[in-house]
Amino acid sequence: MIDRSVTHATFTLERLYLARAARVFAAWADPKVKARWFSTPDADHELDFRIGGREVNRSRPDSGPSLTFESLYRDIVPDERIVYSSVLHVGEDLAAASLTTVVFCPAEGGTRLVLTEQGTFLDGREEPSWREFGTGDWLDALGVALGAGGPG
């Protein structure tokens, strides 16, 4: 029997980075820098960071079907806000669609990043908890990249 379920979920993650908002924002905007913390070495990552631009990350895990994560940038306010819509395909099947807002807030000693994602998860191909965990992992990787010198 095929699972034809629809799950809606929203989560918010926050991180404090010891860097100015311009530096944290630049880590999202520069294709080479973003690939270091958002993608994996064996994945194919493309980034056209502008309103209307696309980002695509394609990977093939050791076992299982390919994963393609594609985003369209809807709003970009430098050093302040990014809004993008995304889809995740597992093989040829749509697994999830979402809207994500990333806000960069000045904080004592750096920048507080607040990411909120509203998602629709289809047919059990992805679970909201998996997305939240994975998103947290790459926000942590962003922190490591910024600590290692990162952009700006």
Side-chain angles (χ1 to χ4, degrees):
M1 182 173 190
I2 296 174
D3 178 3
R4 292 288 181 211
S5 62
V6 177
T7 302
H8 297 277
T10 298
F11 62 85
T12 298
L13 300 172
E14 295 189 26
R15 296 292 188 276
L16 177 62
Y17 300 115
L18 301 177
R20 292 180 354 269
R23 186 165 169 237
V24 180
F25 183 87
W28 289 74
D30 183 297
K32 289 180 183 175
V33 174
K34 184 146 190 210
R36 285 199 317 253
W37 61 267
F38 180 76
S39 191
T40 58
D42 59 336
D44 177 27
H45 181 258
E46 305 165 22
L47 175 60
D48 177 10
F49 189 77
R50 61 181 173 83
I51 295 173
R54 288 179 53 230
E55 180 172 16
V56 181
N57 195 59
R58 294 179 192 87
S59 63
R60 177 135 193 129
D62 291 336
S63 61
S66 63
L67 301 174
T68 303
F69 187 76
E70 182 175 0
S71 298
L72 180 63
Y73 287 93
R74 305 293 182 166
D75 184 53
I76 298 172
V77 179
D79 307 338
E80 295 180 24
R81 179 179 67 227
I82 302 168
V83 179
Y84 56 92
S85 56
S86 303
V87 292
L88 173 68
H89 283 88
V90 176
E92 298 296 318
D93 298 319
L94 181 63
S98 62
L99 177 67
T100 303
T101 303
V102 183
V103 178
F104 304 84
C105 306
E108 188 172 330
T111 301
R112 183 171 56 94
L113 182 145
V114 180
L115 180 147
T116 301
E117 183 165 339
Q118 301 163 290
T120 302
F121 302 87
L122 304 171
D123 305 330
R125 292 184 181 95
E126 185 181 26
E127 296 292 328
S129 61
W130 304 346
R131 175 68 65 91
E132 184 172 355
F133 181 81
T135 303
D137 275 354
W138 51 257
L139 289 178
D140 293 343
L142 169 59
V144 170
L146 291 167

mmCIF file of all heavy atoms in Angstrom, residues 99-122:
data_model
loop_
_atom_site.group_PDB
_atom_site.id
_atom_site.type_symbol
_atom_site.label_atom_id
_atom_site.label_comp_id
_atom_site.label_asym_id
_atom_site.label_seq_id
_atom_site.Cartn_x
_atom_site.Cartn_y
_atom_site.Cartn_z
ATOM 1 N N LEU A 99 8.557 26.883 2.734
ATOM 2 C CA LEU A 99 8.883 28.304 2.682
ATOM 3 C C LEU A 99 9.742 28.593 3.907
ATOM 4 O O LEU A 99 9.363 28.249 5.032
ATOM 5 C CB LEU A 99 7.614 29.157 2.716
ATOM 6 C CG LEU A 99 7.828 30.667 2.729
ATOM 7 C CD1 LEU A 99 8.431 31.121 1.405
ATOM 8 C CD2 LEU A 99 6.520 31.386 3.007
ATOM 9 N N THR A 100 10.906 29.204 3.672
ATOM 10 C CA THR A 100 11.857 29.467 4.747
ATOM 11 C C THR A 100 12.190 30.952 4.793
ATOM 12 O O THR A 100 12.402 31.576 3.755
ATOM 13 C CB THR A 100 13.153 28.659 4.530
ATOM 14 O OG1 THR A 100 12.817 27.277 4.438
ATOM 15 C CG2 THR A 100 14.146 28.875 5.659
ATOM 16 N N THR A 101 12.233 31.482 6.009
ATOM 17 C CA THR A 101 12.650 32.864 6.246
ATOM 18 C C THR A 101 13.847 32.842 7.180
ATOM 19 O O THR A 101 13.815 32.176 8.221
ATOM 20 C CB THR A 101 11.508 33.686 6.882
ATOM 21 O OG1 THR A 101 10.369 33.618 6.034
ATOM 22 C CG2 THR A 101 11.925 35.131 7.082
ATOM 23 N N VAL A 102 14.902 33.542 6.798
ATOM 24 C CA VAL A 102 16.109 33.655 7.612
ATOM 25 C C VAL A 102 16.278 35.135 7.944
ATOM 26 O O VAL A 102 16.316 35.976 7.046
ATOM 27 C CB VAL A 102 17.356 33.135 6.859
ATOM 28 C CG1 VAL A 102 18.587 33.201 7.753
ATOM 29 C CG2 VAL A 102 17.121 31.730 6.341
ATOM 30 N N VAL A 103 16.360 35.438 9.231
ATOM 31 C CA VAL A 103 16.505 36.825 9.688
ATOM 32 C C VAL A 103 17.828 36.948 10.436
ATOM 33 O O VAL A 103 18.170 36.094 11.259
ATOM 34 C CB VAL A 103 15.317 37.233 10.592
ATOM 35 C CG1 VAL A 103 15.494 38.656 11.097
ATOM 36 C CG2 VAL A 103 13.998 37.082 9.847
ATOM 37 N N PHE A 104 18.571 37.997 10.127
ATOM 38 C CA PHE A 104 19.862 38.285 10.742
ATOM 39 C C PHE A 104 19.662 39.475 11.680
ATOM 40 O O PHE A 104 19.382 40.581 11.221
ATOM 41 C CB PHE A 104 20.901 38.626 9.676
ATOM 42 C CG PHE A 104 21.046 37.549 8.634
ATOM 43 C CD1 PHE A 104 20.190 37.485 7.545
ATOM 44 C CD2 PHE A 104 22.035 36.588 8.752
ATOM 45 C CE1 PHE A 104 20.317 36.492 6.586
ATOM 46 C CE2 PHE A 104 22.169 35.585 7.800
ATOM 47 C CZ PHE A 104 21.307 35.540 6.718
ATOM 48 N N CYS A 105 19.796 39.233 12.989
ATOM 49 C CA CYS A 105 19.542 40.276 13.992
ATOM 50 C C CYS A 105 20.839 40.628 14.718
ATOM 51 O O CYS A 105 21.536 39.725 15.197
ATOM 52 C CB CYS A 105 18.542 39.779 15.032
ATOM 53 S SG CYS A 105 16.997 39.166 14.360
ATOM 54 N N PRO A 106 21.145 41.934 14.825
ATOM 55 C CA PRO A 106 22.311 42.300 15.616
ATOM 56 C C PRO A 106 22.144 41.812 17.052
ATOM 57 O O PRO A 106 21.042 41.863 17.614
ATOM 58 C CB PRO A 106 22.315 43.829 15.564
ATOM 59 C CG PRO A 106 21.465 44.182 14.381
ATOM 60 C CD PRO A 106 20.450 43.088 14.267
ATOM 61 N N ALA A 107 23.202 41.301 17.617
ATOM 62 C CA ALA A 107 23.192 40.825 18.996
ATOM 63 C C ALA A 107 24.526 41.203 19.623
ATOM 64 O O ALA A 107 25.508 41.440 18.916
ATOM 65 C CB ALA A 107 23.004 39.314 19.032
ATOM 66 N N GLU A 108 24.551 41.246 20.944
ATOM 67 C CA GLU A 108 25.792 41.581 21.615
ATOM 68 C C GLU A 108 26.871 40.581 21.217
ATOM 69 O O GLU A 108 26.695 39.374 21.368
ATOM 70 C CB GLU A 108 25.601 41.568 23.135
ATOM 71 C CG GLU A 108 26.807 42.092 23.872
ATOM 72 C CD GLU A 108 26.550 42.255 25.363
ATOM 73 O OE1 GLU A 108 25.398 42.524 25.735
ATOM 74 O OE2 GLU A 108 27.526 42.119 26.108
ATOM 75 N N GLY A 109 27.939 41.089 20.649
ATOM 76 C CA GLY A 109 29.054 40.244 20.249
ATOM 77 C C GLY A 109 28.896 39.577 18.899
ATOM 78 O O GLY A 109 29.753 38.811 18.496
ATOM 79 N N GLY A 110 27.797 39.833 18.191
ATOM 80 C CA GLY A 110 27.663 39.185 16.894
ATOM 81 C C GLY A 110 26.278 39.305 16.280
ATOM 82 O O GLY A 110 25.671 40.371 16.301
ATOM 83 N N THR A 111 25.793 38.176 15.780
ATOM 84 C CA THR A 111 24.531 38.137 15.046
ATOM 85 C C THR A 111 23.700 36.959 15.525
ATOM 86 O O THR A 111 24.205 35.835 15.635
ATOM 87 C CB THR A 111 24.794 37.961 13.532
ATOM 88 O OG1 THR A 111 25.599 39.047 13.089
ATOM 89 C CG2 THR A 111 23.505 37.907 12.737
ATOM 90 N N ARG A 112 22.432 37.236 15.794
ATOM 91 C CA ARG A 112 21.483 36.168 16.090
ATOM 92 C C ARG A 112 20.755 35.859 14.791
ATOM 93 O O ARG A 112 20.121 36.732 14.194
ATOM 94 C CB ARG A 112 20.495 36.586 17.175
ATOM 95 C CG ARG A 112 19.524 35.459 17.564
ATOM 96 C CD ARG A 112 18.708 35.819 18.799
ATOM 97 N NE ARG A 112 17.992 37.066 18.629
ATOM 98 C CZ ARG A 112 16.726 37.166 18.204
ATOM 99 N NH1 ARG A 112 16.042 36.096 17.894
ATOM 100 N NH2 ARG A 112 16.159 38.344 18.099
ATOM 101 N N LEU A 113 20.876 34.627 14.327
ATOM 102 C CA LEU A 113 20.183 34.177 13.130
ATOM 103 C C LEU A 113 18.943 33.424 13.569
ATOM 104 O O LEU A 113 19.012 32.556 14.443
ATOM 105 C CB LEU A 113 21.095 33.257 12.312
ATOM 106 C CG LEU A 113 20.516 32.737 10.999
ATOM 107 C CD1 LEU A 113 21.627 32.623 9.958
ATOM 108 C CD2 LEU A 113 19.846 31.392 11.195
ATOM 109 N N VAL A 114 17.792 33.786 12.974
ATOM 110 C CA VAL A 114 16.531 33.108 13.262
ATOM 111 C C VAL A 114 16.001 32.559 11.941
ATOM 112 O O VAL A 114 15.726 33.323 11.015
ATOM 113 C CB VAL A 114 15.497 34.065 13.904
ATOM 114 C CG1 VAL A 114 14.195 33.322 14.190
ATOM 115 C CG2 VAL A 114 16.062 34.702 15.169
ATOM 116 N N LEU A 115 15.885 31.239 11.860
ATOM 117 C CA LEU A 115 15.388 30.571 10.665
ATOM 118 C C LEU A 115 14.057 29.917 10.998
ATOM 119 O O LEU A 115 13.968 29.140 11.952
ATOM 120 C CB LEU A 115 16.385 29.509 10.198
ATOM 121 C CG LEU A 115 16.015 28.716 8.945
ATOM 122 C CD1 LEU A 115 17.271 28.353 8.162
ATOM 123 C CD2 LEU A 115 15.210 27.472 9.263
ATOM 124 N N THR A 116 13.031 30.253 10.215
ATOM 125 C CA THR A 116 11.713 29.633 10.377
ATOM 126 C C THR A 116 11.339 28.964 9.071
ATOM 127 O O THR A 116 11.396 29.595 8.007
ATOM 128 C CB THR A 116 10.643 30.681 10.756
ATOM 129 O OG1 THR A 116 11.040 31.320 11.977
ATOM 130 C CG2 THR A 116 9.281 30.031 10.941
ATOM 131 N N GLU A 117 10.976 27.695 9.159
ATOM 132 C CA GLU A 117 10.564 26.939 7.975
ATOM 133 C C GLU A 117 9.160 26.404 8.167
ATOM 134 O O GLU A 117 8.835 25.837 9.211
ATOM 135 C CB GLU A 117 11.527 25.788 7.706
ATOM 136 C CG GLU A 117 11.178 25.040 6.446
ATOM 137 C CD GLU A 117 12.284 24.135 5.950
ATOM 138 O OE1 GLU A 117 13.459 24.344 6.323
ATOM 139 O OE2 GLU A 117 11.967 23.224 5.169
ATOM 140 N N GLN A 118 8.326 26.634 7.151
ATOM 141 C CA GLN A 118 6.963 26.103 7.113
ATOM 142 C C GLN A 118 6.949 25.064 6.001
ATOM 143 O O GLN A 118 7.217 25.396 4.840
ATOM 144 C CB GLN A 118 5.970 27.216 6.797
ATOM 145 C CG GLN A 118 6.023 28.345 7.813
ATOM 146 C CD GLN A 118 5.363 29.596 7.287
ATOM 147 O OE1 GLN A 118 5.883 30.246 6.391
ATOM 148 N NE2 GLN A 118 4.198 29.908 7.836
ATOM 149 N N GLY A 119 6.664 23.798 6.350
ATOM 150 C CA GLY A 119 6.809 22.750 5.363
ATOM 151 C C GLY A 119 5.586 21.870 5.196
ATOM 152 O O GLY A 119 4.767 21.723 6.095
ATOM 153 N N THR A 120 5.511 21.291 4.010
ATOM 154 C CA THR A 120 4.548 20.257 3.671
ATOM 155 C C THR A 120 5.356 19.025 3.302
ATOM 156 O O THR A 120 6.158 19.063 2.354
ATOM 157 C CB THR A 120 3.665 20.699 2.488
ATOM 158 O OG1 THR A 120 3.003 21.918 2.843
ATOM 159 C CG2 THR A 120 2.644 19.636 2.130
ATOM 160 N N PHE A 121 5.163 17.945 4.048
ATOM 161 C CA PHE A 121 5.950 16.731 3.890
ATOM 162 C C PHE A 121 5.020 15.630 3.370
ATOM 163 O O PHE A 121 3.976 15.360 3.966
ATOM 164 C CB PHE A 121 6.597 16.361 5.230
ATOM 165 C CG PHE A 121 7.474 17.460 5.748
ATOM 166 C CD1 PHE A 121 6.950 18.491 6.523
ATOM 167 C CD2 PHE A 121 8.816 17.505 5.420
ATOM 168 C CE1 PHE A 121 7.751 19.534 6.973
ATOM 169 C CE2 PHE A 121 9.629 18.542 5.870
ATOM 170 C CZ PHE A 121 9.094 19.552 6.645
ATOM 171 N N LEU A 122 5.414 15.038 2.247
ATOM 172 C CA LEU A 122 4.504 14.183 1.493
ATOM 173 C C LEU A 122 4.871 12.707 1.553
ATOM 174 O O LEU A 122 6.035 12.330 1.366
ATOM 175 C CB LEU A 122 4.483 14.638 0.033
ATOM 176 C CG LEU A 122 4.115 16.110 -0.196
ATOM 177 C CD1 LEU A 122 4.332 16.494 -1.642
ATOM 178 C CD2 LEU A 122 2.682 16.359 0.236
#
